Amino acid sequence: MTKPRMLTGDRPTGKLHLGHWVGTLKNRVRYQHQYQSFFIVADLHMLTTKNRPEDIRESAQNGHDMVLDSIAAGIDPSVVTFYLQSAVHEINEIYTLLQNLTTVSRLERIPSLKDMARNANIEMPFGLLGYPVLQAADILCVRANIVPVGKDNESHVEVTRELARRFNGIYGEVFPVPELIQGEVPTLVGTDGQAKMSKSLGNAIFLSDTPREVERKVSSMYTDPNRIRADVPGTVEGNPVFIYHDAFNPNRAEVEDLKDRYRLGTVGDVEVKRKLTIAINGLLDPMRERRAQYDQPGVVEELLWNGTQVVREESKQTLQAMHQAMGFTGVWNRIRRKAEK
Ligand code: TRP
């Protein structure tokens, strides 16, 4: 019996942080055995906003760190397939074939793309407009059934679903329509209280931070700005330290006790933060151990190389099925096969 499939991944732009953990990593770990799992290092997607030579040079280290972070977080490299997007040429071909099944105005309505252009301080590149279609090619090239992603990517998975349905409707059944798996906390606030934890905003706690770094970041966290002393009643709702306690502290009784006392003005920020530091380091300690185990020269590269070959084979089959369904048969097939020699 073949298992249903999961596909997800990230752009190689930096290390993974707690926002990734609650947004998608936890789901990846949860489903990795139940599904045949694929994780993409989406370097072509990175180019849509970062394409300077130095960005590309850094992406090798970033991709390496990302894979290592995933393994540290509990992804089992002996069962999942990691692969490099730009090494699977068929993804580009699938991307091209999908481009005619959606419209410019559909893509222009996606807010996350406008946000990405704005954050990068650039006018919308052609490639960025096509971002969700390229993402659909990633997902459909392995004919994935589920896609666990954070909030920013939800609308892209919706485009994938539309494209799969449209392809199937026009040419015949080739693709499963993949299901979106939403994160436990789809968007995690930053340590500074801004809506979103992100490396570029400098408000992230990374999975690879040391215990001291975690302590430092938590101690300087934004809390209730109206609470000037520990004996003043404070607000728990929307308060980042309590959002984090809810997300990362498994000791529910401790969290409830801290909330009660915070509301009454009988606990100081220092204690709330000290307990949060302990909780986060409790989550990250086993990750630190696993990272050390796999952080050996060549290990990540070998994983990516093996996985890339697997996905190339899968993608070739998908592309062939698409061509077949679309009616590229007979003479077209013969010419294409000759050209590939
Ligand atoms: N868009 C994802 C990000 O924000 C990366 C990505 C590329 C992806 N292709 C994917 C995620 C396919 C899930 C499925 O970094």
Side-chain angles (χ1 to χ4, degrees):
M1 248 285 286
T2 58
K3 288 182 184 176
R5 293 178 167 186
M6 160 161 76
L7 183 127
T8 180
D10 307 274
R11 285 162 290 171
T13 51
K15 296 177 181 154
L16 301 181
H17 51 61
L18 289 177
H20 294 110
W21 171 248
V22 289
T24 162
L25 274 171
K26 256 180 132 163
N27 281 330
R28 298 179 189 184
V29 174
R30 180 179 307 148
Y31 291 116
Q32 63 179 331
H33 295 290
Q34 197 178 329
Y35 290 80
Q36 188 184 347
S37 303
F38 299 89
F39 297 114
I40 189 170
V41 176
D43 53 347
L44 297 176
H45 274 109
M46 177 194 77
L47 297 179
T48 63
T49 54
K50 299 181 97 181
N51 62 354
R52 297 170 308 170
E54 53 269 40
D55 298 325
I56 296 164
R57 241 178 285 122
E58 282 167 19
S59 73
Q61 184 63 45
N62 288 335
H64 172 274
D65 292 347
M66 247 174 61
V67 170
L68 210 51
D69 280 342
S70 309
I71 295 171
I75 297 294
D76 179 352
S78 69
V79 298
V80 311
T81 303
F82 289 105
Y83 69 104
L84 182 64
Q85 185 181 34
S86 66
V88 182
H89 316 307
E90 288 77 11
I91 290 176
N92 273 299
E93 291 193 59
I94 295 169
Y95 176 38
T96 304
L97 296 176
L98 295 174
Q99 283 171 9
N100 307 304
L101 299 177
T102 188
T103 63
V104 169
S105 66
R106 168 71 179 93
L107 299 171
E108 277 173 344
R109 271 184 276 123
I110 298 173
S112 56
L113 303 179
K114 288 183 219 160
D115 291 346
M116 278 192 266
R118 194 174 329 105
N119 293 340
N121 248 315
I122 51 176
E123 216 186 299
M124 177 76 71
F126 181 54
L128 183 53
L129 190 66
Y131 188 113
V133 184
L134 179 57
Q135 189 161 345
D138 300 332
I139 295 166
L140 299 178
C141 87
V142 301
R143 283 150 279 140
N145 304 92
I146 63 163
V147 188
V149 287
K151 187 91 197 143
D152 289 351
N153 275 278
E154 289 181 1
S155 57
H156 308 168
V157 178
E158 195 46 49
V159 171
T160 303
R161 291 166 56 81
E162 287 169 20
L163 289 169
R165 272 195 224 103
R166 200 154 301 145
F167 188 97
N168 291 344
I170 297 173
Y171 302 116
E173 210 62 25
V174 169
F175 299 114
V177 178
E179 212 182 300
L180 164 78
I181 307 288
Q182 282 184 326
E184 189 179 276
V185 181
T187 308
L188 185 69
V189 296
T191 53
D192 58 356
Q194 287 201 68
K196 189 182 149 194
M197 180 177 282
S198 115
K199 179 188 170 221
S200 54
L201 295 173
N203 62 8
I205 296 175
F206 296 100
L207 303 185
S208 51
D209 278 348
T210 63
R212 288 298 315 254
E213 281 168 326
V214 171
E215 188 186 0
R216 187 181 53 77
K217 288 179 180 178
V218 171
S219 328
S220 60
M221 265 184 78
Y222 179 91
T223 59
D224 177 351
N226 298 320
R227 192 163 184 259
I228 40 172
R229 278 196 328 266
D231 58 356
V232 177
T235 306
V236 164
E237 283 66 37
N239 186 330
V241 285
F242 285 105
I243 293 174
Y244 285 18
H245 264 295
D246 282 335
F248 306 113
N249 191 342
N251 186 343
R252 306 319 306 167
E254 177 174 281
V255 175
E256 289 317 309
D257 169 63
L258 289 173
K259 285 182 180 174
D260 289 344
R261 288 158 59 212
Y262 199 83
R263 290 192 180 102
L264 294 169
T266 59
V267 66
D269 277 11
V270 174
E271 183 182 342
V272 175
K273 288 178 169 179
R274 189 166 46 77
K275 289 185 167 152
L276 180 58
T277 300
I278 292 168
I280 293 176
N281 277 326
L283 170 70
L284 299 187
D285 274 337
M287 298 192 193
R288 292 174 181 126
E289 276 170 37
R290 269 195 302 272
R291 175 179 295 97
Q293 223 178 301
Y294 284 91
D295 197 359
Q296 317 285 346
V299 169
V300 168
E301 194 177 331
E302 175 85 9
L303 282 171
L304 277 171
W305 164 237
N306 290 335
T308 297
Q309 293 176 83
V310 171
V311 174
R312 276 213 75 178
E313 220 26 71
E314 286 294 332
S315 306
K316 272 185 196 157
Q317 286 173 25
T318 299
L319 190 57
Q320 220 168 39
M322 290 175 80
H323 280 148
Q324 183 79 32
M326 293 173 81
F328 284 107
T329 50
V331 66
W332 295 124
N333 247 340
R334 286 198 294 280
I335 295 171
R336 209 183 334 264
R337 248 185 278 128
K338 278 188 191 162
E340 266 166 31
K341 288 223 178 88

